[in-house]
Amino acid sequence: MKNDLSKMMCLDLYLSSLSHTEYQKIKQHLKATGNSQMPLMSWDISGQAYQRRIQVLQKKNDLSKLLDLAGKYNWNNSITEILANRDYEALVLTDVSQKIVWVNKGFSEMTGYSAKFALNRSPSFLSGPETSTIARKRIAEKLNEGMPFKEVIVNYRKNKDKYNCELNIFPLYGNEVTHYLALERQVG
Protein backbone atom coordinates (compact mmCIF):
# COMPACT_ATOMS: atom_id res chain seq x y z
CA MET A 1 0.00 0.00 0.00
CA LYS A 2 2.80 2.43 0.93
CA ASN A 3 4.57 1.67 -2.37
CA ASP A 4 1.32 2.30 -4.32
CA LEU A 5 0.88 5.65 -2.57
CA SER A 6 4.44 6.64 -3.47
CA LYS A 7 3.80 5.74 -7.10
CA MET A 8 0.58 7.82 -7.13
CA MET A 9 2.39 10.81 -5.63
CA CYS A 10 5.17 10.54 -8.22
CA LEU A 11 2.58 10.34 -11.00
CA ASP A 12 0.80 13.34 -9.50
CA LEU A 13 4.03 15.34 -9.54
CA TYR A 14 4.79 14.31 -13.09
CA LEU A 15 1.29 15.14 -14.35
CA SER A 16 1.33 18.53 -12.65
CA SER A 17 4.48 19.46 -14.57
CA LEU A 18 2.94 18.80 -18.00
CA SER A 19 1.62 21.48 -20.29
CA HIS A 20 -1.97 21.13 -21.47
CA THR A 21 -0.75 19.85 -24.85
CA GLU A 22 1.55 17.26 -23.27
CA TYR A 23 -1.22 16.08 -20.95
CA GLN A 24 -3.65 15.70 -23.88
CA LYS A 25 -1.15 13.41 -25.63
CA ILE A 26 -1.00 10.94 -22.72
CA LYS A 27 -4.39 11.23 -21.02
CA GLN A 28 -5.89 8.21 -22.87
CA HIS A 29 -3.20 6.05 -21.20
CA LEU A 30 -4.19 7.09 -17.68
CA LYS A 31 -6.58 5.02 -15.63
CA ALA A 32 -8.65 6.88 -13.04
CA THR A 33 -8.81 5.38 -9.56
CA GLY A 34 -11.00 6.30 -6.65
CA ASN A 35 -13.70 8.96 -6.71
CA SER A 36 -11.45 11.96 -7.19
CA GLN A 37 -12.68 14.42 -9.79
CA MET A 38 -9.32 16.15 -9.85
CA PRO A 39 -6.61 14.53 -11.97
CA LEU A 40 -4.20 14.71 -9.03
CA MET A 41 -4.81 13.44 -5.53
CA SER A 42 -1.75 14.42 -3.50
CA TRP A 43 -1.23 17.69 -1.64
CA ASP A 44 -3.74 19.59 -3.78
CA ILE A 45 -1.11 19.98 -6.48
CA SER A 46 -3.85 19.94 -9.09
CA GLY A 47 -5.55 22.95 -7.50
CA GLN A 48 -2.25 24.83 -7.37
CA ALA A 49 -1.48 24.02 -11.00
CA TYR A 50 -4.98 25.15 -11.99
CA GLN A 51 -4.52 28.45 -10.14
CA ARG A 52 -1.17 29.01 -11.88
CA ARG A 53 -2.83 28.42 -15.26
CA ILE A 54 -5.57 30.93 -14.40
CA GLN A 55 -2.94 33.51 -13.39
CA VAL A 56 -1.03 32.98 -16.64
CA LEU A 57 -4.22 33.41 -18.67
CA GLN A 58 -5.17 36.56 -16.74
CA LYS A 59 -1.71 38.03 -17.36
CA LYS A 60 -2.00 37.23 -21.07
CA ASN A 61 -5.39 38.95 -21.09
CA ASP A 62 -3.90 41.98 -19.29
CA LEU A 63 -1.07 42.16 -21.82
CA SER A 64 -3.48 41.89 -24.75
CA LYS A 65 -5.66 44.72 -23.42
CA LEU A 66 -2.65 46.96 -22.77
CA LEU A 67 -1.24 46.26 -26.24
CA ASP A 68 -4.58 47.32 -27.71
CA LEU A 69 -4.44 50.53 -25.68
CA ALA A 70 -0.80 51.07 -26.71
CA GLY A 71 -1.90 50.99 -30.34
CA LYS A 72 -4.79 53.36 -29.66
CA TYR A 73 -2.61 55.92 -27.84
CA ASN A 74 0.60 55.34 -29.86
CA TRP A 75 2.82 54.60 -26.86
CA ASN A 76 6.51 54.09 -27.57
CA ASN A 77 6.96 51.98 -24.43
CA SER A 78 7.33 48.22 -24.68
CA ILE A 79 4.34 47.01 -22.64
CA THR A 80 5.67 43.45 -22.89
CA GLU A 81 8.95 44.51 -21.24
CA ILE A 82 7.16 46.48 -18.53
CA LEU A 83 5.11 43.46 -17.50
CA ALA A 84 7.87 40.87 -17.99
CA ASN A 85 9.25 39.33 -14.79
CA ARG A 86 7.34 41.71 -12.52
CA ASP A 87 4.93 40.49 -9.89
CA TYR A 88 1.63 42.29 -9.68
CA GLU A 89 -1.90 41.63 -8.55
CA ALA A 90 -3.52 44.72 -10.00
CA LEU A 91 -2.95 47.00 -12.96
CA VAL A 92 -4.20 50.57 -12.91
CA LEU A 93 -3.99 52.82 -15.96
CA THR A 94 -4.49 56.54 -15.41
CA ASP A 95 -4.37 59.49 -17.76
CA VAL A 96 -2.10 62.49 -17.11
CA SER A 97 -4.74 64.09 -14.88
CA GLN A 98 -4.51 60.89 -12.78
CA LYS A 99 -8.04 59.71 -13.59
CA ILE A 100 -8.37 55.94 -13.91
CA VAL A 101 -9.13 54.85 -17.48
CA TRP A 102 -8.70 51.07 -17.04
CA VAL A 103 -8.08 48.49 -14.32
CA ASN A 104 -7.61 44.75 -14.66
CA LYS A 105 -9.64 42.06 -12.91
CA GLY A 106 -6.92 41.77 -10.26
CA PHE A 107 -7.69 45.32 -9.13
CA SER A 108 -11.23 44.32 -8.16
CA GLU A 109 -9.98 41.16 -6.47
CA MET A 110 -7.36 43.09 -4.47
CA THR A 111 -9.44 46.13 -3.49
CA GLY A 112 -13.05 44.96 -3.58
CA TYR A 113 -13.99 47.87 -5.88
CA SER A 114 -15.46 47.19 -9.31
CA ALA A 115 -13.81 48.51 -12.44
CA LYS A 116 -16.95 50.55 -13.10
CA PHE A 117 -16.63 52.26 -9.72
CA ALA A 118 -12.93 53.02 -10.23
CA LEU A 119 -13.21 54.53 -13.71
CA ASN A 120 -12.77 58.31 -13.91
CA ARG A 121 -11.68 58.47 -10.27
CA SER A 122 -8.27 59.30 -8.90
CA PRO A 123 -6.52 56.35 -7.22
CA SER A 124 -6.57 58.48 -4.06
CA PHE A 125 -10.03 57.03 -3.30
CA LEU A 126 -8.05 54.07 -1.92
CA SER A 127 -6.46 56.33 0.72
CA GLY A 128 -7.52 56.38 4.34
CA PRO A 129 -6.55 57.50 7.84
CA GLU A 130 -3.11 55.84 7.84
CA THR A 131 -2.15 56.76 4.27
CA SER A 132 0.96 58.90 4.52
CA THR A 133 0.60 62.39 3.09
CA ILE A 134 4.38 62.39 2.69
CA ALA A 135 4.21 59.24 0.52
CA ARG A 136 1.38 60.76 -1.54
CA LYS A 137 3.44 63.93 -2.06
CA ARG A 138 6.48 61.83 -3.05
CA ILE A 139 4.36 59.96 -5.62
CA ALA A 140 3.11 63.25 -7.11
CA GLU A 141 6.69 64.54 -7.38
CA LYS A 142 7.88 61.33 -9.04
CA LEU A 143 5.00 61.42 -11.52
CA ASN A 144 6.10 64.93 -12.53
CA GLU A 145 9.65 63.67 -13.16
CA GLY A 146 8.33 61.33 -15.86
CA MET A 147 10.53 58.39 -14.84
CA PRO A 148 9.50 54.90 -13.64
CA PHE A 149 9.53 54.49 -9.86
CA LYS A 150 8.54 52.24 -6.97
CA GLU A 151 6.72 53.29 -3.81
CA VAL A 152 4.86 51.56 -0.97
CA ILE A 153 1.72 53.21 0.37
CA VAL A 154 -1.05 52.26 2.80
CA ASN A 155 -4.30 51.75 0.88
CA TYR A 156 -7.77 50.68 1.98
CA ARG A 157 -10.08 48.08 0.49
CA LYS A 158 -13.79 48.63 0.01
CA ASN A 159 -14.43 46.79 3.29
CA LYS A 160 -12.10 49.34 5.02
CA ASP A 161 -9.26 46.83 5.63
CA LYS A 162 -5.90 48.50 5.17
CA TYR A 163 -2.99 46.95 3.31
CA ASN A 164 0.49 47.95 2.20
CA CYS A 165 0.46 48.42 -1.55
CA GLU A 166 3.67 48.33 -3.57
CA LEU A 167 3.35 50.49 -6.66
CA ASN A 168 5.61 50.18 -9.70
CA ILE A 169 4.62 53.14 -11.86
CA PHE A 170 5.62 53.62 -15.49
CA PRO A 171 4.91 56.75 -17.52
CA LEU A 172 3.57 55.81 -20.96
CA TYR A 173 4.32 58.14 -23.82
CA GLY A 174 4.25 58.81 -27.54
CA ASN A 175 5.69 62.27 -28.13
CA GLU A 176 4.90 63.10 -24.51
CA VAL A 177 3.55 61.32 -21.42
CA THR A 178 -0.12 60.49 -21.94
CA HIS A 179 -0.77 57.84 -19.25
CA TYR A 180 0.69 56.11 -16.22
CA LEU A 181 0.60 52.37 -15.63
CA ALA A 182 0.76 51.16 -12.03
CA LEU A 183 1.63 47.54 -11.29
CA GLU A 184 0.34 46.96 -7.78
CA ARG A 185 0.64 44.19 -5.22
CA GLN A 186 0.08 43.74 -1.54
CA VAL A 187 3.29 43.53 0.49
CA GLY A 188 4.21 42.93 4.11
Side-chain angles (χ1 to χ4, degrees):
M1 178 71 175
K2 183 178 180 182
N3 196 20
D4 288 341
L5 183 58
S6 294
K7 287 179 186 176
M8 286 190 307
M9 290 188 315
C10 289
L11 179 61
D12 288 352
L13 290 170
Y14 169 72
L15 291 175
S16 70
S17 71
L18 297 178
S19 70
H20 177 73
T21 305
E22 293 168 326
Y23 179 77
Q24 292 302 316
K25 289 179 183 176
I26 68 160
K27 83 176 188 180
Q28 74 271 9
H29 300 291
L30 300 174
K31 179 181 175 187
T33 59
N35 294 328
S36 175
Q37 294 192 7
M38 301 284 272
L40 309 177
M41 298 184 302
S42 303
W43 309 310
D44 193 27
I45 293 171
S46 177
Q48 293 170 7
Y50 176 75
Q51 288 301 320
R52 279 194 304 273
R53 280 191 214 119
I54 294 295
Q55 289 171 343
V56 166
L57 290 174
Q58 285 176 340
K59 288 192 177 200
K60 284 182 180 180
N61 188 42
D62 293 342
L63 176 60
S64 177
K65 178 62 178 174
L66 287 170
L67 290 173
D68 287 346
L69 290 167
K72 178 180 178 180
Y73 294 112
N74 298 313
W75 295 327
N76 293 330
N77 308 74
S78 171
I79 299 301
T80 303
E81 286 182 25
I82 289 173
L83 297 183
N85 302 317
R86 288 193 172 85
D87 289 330
Y88 65 87
E89 295 172 56
L91 295 174
V92 179
L93 181 67
T94 61
D95 61 18
V96 289
S97 65
Q98 297 177 26
K99 298 293 182 203
I100 296 172
V101 296
W102 176 79
V103 296
N104 71 342
K105 183 178 177 183
F107 173 84
S108 297
E109 292 169 356
M110 187 169 78
T111 67
Y113 289 101
S114 70
K116 185 178 179 179
F117 179 85
L119 292 180
N120 296 312
R121 295 183 191 276
S122 166
S124 64
F125 79 87
L126 296 166
S127 298
E130 292 184 41
T131 303
S132 167
T133 55
I134 295 168
R136 289 182 65 186
K137 184 176 179 180
R138 209 170 32 241
I139 289 170
E141 290 169 356
K142 289 178 181 179
L143 287 173
N144 288 331
E145 292 173 7
M147 299 296 293
F149 66 92
K150 184 187 290 189
E151 183 71 53
V152 175
I153 192 163
V154 174
N155 274 347
Y156 288 79
R157 293 184 175 86
K158 185 176 181 180
N159 68 5
K160 307 297 183 212
D161 287 347
K162 71 177 180 175
Y163 64 100
N164 292 322
C165 185
E166 178 185 86
L167 309 169
N168 279 291
I169 298 182
F170 298 86
L172 303 175
Y173 55 88
N175 294 330
E176 59 186 23
V177 174
T178 62
H179 294 83
Y180 298 97
L181 177 63
L183 285 66
E184 303 183 0
R185 67 186 184 118
Q186 182 176 336
V187 294

